[in-house]
């Protein structure tokens, strides 16, 4: 989700980068290595998948600089348990594919109860019924697919994946993610993933 993946990027390069410029291109850590190599005058290896963003840095314009930097792809495998998720985000939509939707959302609960001292959640304090949507957000299970319209839902609370009005957007975002997974040979998509971090554990 955006709260866990979005981070600010501030770059200062006196005499090179225009002060006060704000760029809306989607840039990830993968873009930094080829950029640093280009700055140092070192040839960027052909097998580096990401490109340098020197043109973005040196542009005098603010806003959108490059049309190809219109999406970002994120993933997670483990965090207090297994959370195999893949996502693609554009300026309008966030699409998430959950590869093990039967797993509970709150897998960290046992950790906090045993390792870090337990603090009851708002859901428990208010004794919400399991059918309550808020309860499901905290202690339910993730759906197979999630789609959020970010301009109207910045905190990703309203999953539109099952809404027929957003079927075209769902298909478009799903295909963007699949194309990325094919290009990167994602073992989750290919069905070749093998448990590494917690063998034999749930």
């Amino acid at each position: 989700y955006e709260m866990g993946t979005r981070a600010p990027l501030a770059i200062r390069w006196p005499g090179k980068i225009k002060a006060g410029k704000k760029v809306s291109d989607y840039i990830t850590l993968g873009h930094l290595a080829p950029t640093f190599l280009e700055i140092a005058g070192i040839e960027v290896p052909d097998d580096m998948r990401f490109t340098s963003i020197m043109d973005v840095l040196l542009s005098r314009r603010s806003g959108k600089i490059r049309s190809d930097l219109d999406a970002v792809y994120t993933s997670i495998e483990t965090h207090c348990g297994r959370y195999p998720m893949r996502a693609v985000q554009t300026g309008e939509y966030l699409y998430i594919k959950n590869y093990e939707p039967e797993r509970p959302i709150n897998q960290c609960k046992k950790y906090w109860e045993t390792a870090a001292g337990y603090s009851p959640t708002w859901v428990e304090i208010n004794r919400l019924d399991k059918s309550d949507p808020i309860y499901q957000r905290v202690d339910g299970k993730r759906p197979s697919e999630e789609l959020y319209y970010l301009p109207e839902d910045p905190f990703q609370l309203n999953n539109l994946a099952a809404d027929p009005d957003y079927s075209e957007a769902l298909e478009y975002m799903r295909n963007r993610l699949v194309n990325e997974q094919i290009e990167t040979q994602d073992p989750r998509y290919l069905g070749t993933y093998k448990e590494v971090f917690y063998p034999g554990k749930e």
Side-chain angles (χ1 to χ4, degrees), residues 43-186:
E43 185 176 352
V44 178
D46 291 335
D47 58 355
M48 263 197 177
R49 188 165 175 275
F50 289 86
T51 58
S52 166
I53 56 167
M54 275 285 283
D55 55 338
V56 176
L57 299 181
L58 301 182
S59 171
R60 306 298 291 175
R61 295 186 293 114
S62 291
K64 189 74 182 161
I65 309 298
R66 273 173 44 183
S67 60
D68 61 311
L69 300 176
D70 65 337
V72 66
Y73 299 88
T74 54
S75 66
I76 187 172
E77 278 294 331
T78 61
H79 180 67
C80 306
R82 202 153 72 230
Y83 283 102
M85 305 166 73
R86 302 293 186 268
V88 55
Q89 180 177 332
T90 64
E92 284 192 307
Y93 291 101
L94 169 64
Y95 169 77
I96 301 172
K97 171 64 178 175
N98 292 296
Y99 278 90
E100 296 184 16
E102 73 281 0
R103 290 187 171 274
I105 291 174
N106 194 5
Q107 293 188 65
C108 292
K109 185 175 178 181
K110 287 185 179 180
Y111 168 79
W112 291 115
E113 288 177 348
T114 57
Y118 178 59
S119 175
T121 67
W122 186 90
V123 167
E124 292 171 308
I125 292 171
N126 289 273
R127 298 181 181 179
L128 293 186
D129 185 86
K130 290 187 177 182
S131 62
D132 190 291
I134 297 179
Y135 179 93
Q136 290 300 316
R137 295 283 308 179
V138 176
D139 274 331
K141 295 182 179 180
R142 299 182 194 279
S144 176
E145 293 183 299
E146 301 174 62
L147 180 71
Y148 302 99
Y149 183 57
L150 300 176
E152 295 180 1
D153 187 16
F155 300 109
Q156 296 94 65
L157 298 175
N158 184 26
N159 183 11
L160 302 170
D163 189 328
D165 291 340
Y166 290 86
S167 59
E168 289 186 11
L170 176 67
E171 184 70 13
Y172 172 75
M173 295 296 286
R174 181 193 291 142
N175 287 338
R176 286 206 67 164
L177 180 61
V178 166
N179 290 337
E180 175 76 3
Q181 291 178 287
I182 292 173
E183 186 174 342
T184 58
Q185 296 291 289
D186 184 348

Side-chain angles (χ1 to χ4, degrees), residues 99 185-194:
Y99 278 90
Q185 296 291 289
D186 184 348
R188 280 289 178 186
Y189 177 77
L190 298 176
T192 58
Y193 176 82
K194 294 182 180 180

Side-chain angles (χ1 to χ4, degrees), residues 20-39:
K21 182 176 73 170
K22 293 184 179 180
V23 174
S24 57
D25 289 6
Y26 280 87
I27 294 168
T28 70
L29 288 174
H31 293 103
L32 299 186
T35 303
F36 295 154
L37 290 176
E38 183 175 350
I39 291 173

